[in-house]
Amino acid sequence: MPDTAQPIWPAPFADPDVTAKGEARAHVAFDRLKTLWFNTGTLCNIECVNCYIESSPSNDRLVYLTPDDAAPFLDEIDAMGAGPVEIGFTGGEPYLNPHMNTLTGMALERGHTALVLTNAMRPMMRPAVQAGLLALKERHGNRLSLRISLDHHSAAVHDAERGPGAFDATIEGLSWLADHGFRLSCAGRIAMAESEAEARAGFAELFERLSVDIPAHDPGRLVLFPEMNPAANPPEITTACWGILHLDPRTIMCASSRMVVKRKGAARASVISCTLLPYHDAFEMGGTLEASLRPVKLQHKFCAQFCVLGGASCSA
């Protein structure tokens, strides 16, 4: 009798080179450095319902980055002749890190632009942090910009994700930054939107009411990120997908960015390929920036959800 048993496929995203269906997995070659991210630590003043990096007041799996940790990677950019580039800072909440303004100043003093991702809540609003921010702005102007995490233009939806009172606290910080003339952008979440057009209209009304200079219809200034759901089952990205989707792999985030992290207990910082995947060994790229500039295999759901099918990038 013929064998009618169904083939047993390997688990999706398990093999670095082939998909569960045996097709060649896509990879992204390094093109040129546009953004070097520094994760300042995974500790955060709040705990969001769907935080992709699991930041919280107790998660210190990535510890506070120090100036001594960051300096060798900035030196490498100079040695490579790759600058000036965008230096991005993310967390956790960056302004919990006591070195945050020093780190930002290091990047700006070398001629780079700096982008800080913040919830603009109490850590950023401490007087010493505010004074440091004002000094950086006075010296470097619009080469410093801040992207404020505001999931939705209404308090009810935003607070359902981030906790009671989070919306009002962020609005206070956003308004302070706007009043002092900082260059600002905002990050919302498309899953919380009625539609993209309605989301942008709602944010536009909010920004106008607050007199905040963020053009909501500019996707570079109001970034609406796709949802990253670890429980979802997106398709794996194969080499054929570039042609099917009419997509140039050089537009994918890992073609032009890397992130520096320091793991708890590690002697030194290291480089990973992606801001979204700090806990996955497959995306560990080595101890130097130079060592990290090799192809990245798209071996995770977030590669499909956020970057390839979502068309998103964390960079400005």
Side-chain angles (χ1 to χ4, degrees), residues 172-314:
E172 180 184 359
L174 174 64
S175 297
W176 181 86
L177 291 165
D179 289 346
H180 287 86
F182 286 88
R183 178 173 173 79
L184 302 174
S185 58
C186 183
R189 293 169 65 169
I190 197 69
M192 297 186 177
E194 305 84 351
S195 69
E196 181 171 347
E198 290 171 324
R200 293 192 181 279
F203 275 107
E205 181 181 344
L206 174 66
F207 297 150
E208 182 178 6
R209 186 168 73 249
L210 297 173
S211 299
V212 171
D213 181 20
I214 300 177
H217 296 285
D218 179 348
R221 298 288 296 281
L222 173 59
V223 186
L224 296 176
F225 285 127
E227 196 68 17
M228 294 177 290
N229 180 5
N233 294 297
E236 297 184 87
I237 306 301
T238 70
T239 54
C241 289
W242 304 128
I244 294 169
L245 298 171
H246 305 291
L247 189 62
D248 185 340
R250 290 176 298 182
T251 65
I252 304 302
M253 185 164 55
C254 54
S256 57
S257 70
R258 293 291 185 266
M259 186 166 78
V260 176
V261 303
K262 190 171 184 182
R263 304 187 189 285
K264 187 175 183 178
R268 56 175 296 178
S270 59
V271 184
I272 61 176
S273 61
C274 179
T275 57
L276 311 178
L277 297 165
Y279 308 130
H280 297 267
D281 291 343
F283 298 91
E284 181 80 31
M285 304 298 280
T288 66
L289 185 57
E290 182 178 9
S292 77
L293 307 182
R294 62 183 191 271
V296 177
K297 299 173 183 181
L298 303 186
Q299 196 188 343
H300 195 276
K301 292 179 179 183
F302 291 173
C303 303
Q305 290 176 327
F306 188 86
C307 296
V308 177
L309 301 177
S313 172
C314 293

Side-chain angles (χ1 to χ4, degrees), residues 11 31 60 75 153 162 291:
D31 182 41
D60 61 352
D75 290 341
H153 49 81
R162 295 182 178 248

Side-chain angles (χ1 to χ4, degrees), residues 61 142 162 197:
R61 292 173 69 183
N142 281 345
R162 295 182 178 248

Side-chain angles (χ1 to χ4, degrees), residues 35-38 74 77 85-89 107 112-116:
T35 305
L36 179 61
W37 288 94
F38 289 103
L74 295 173
I77 296 175
V85 299
E86 176 185 65
I87 304 297
F89 297 94
H112 304 298
T113 60
L115 172 65
V116 184

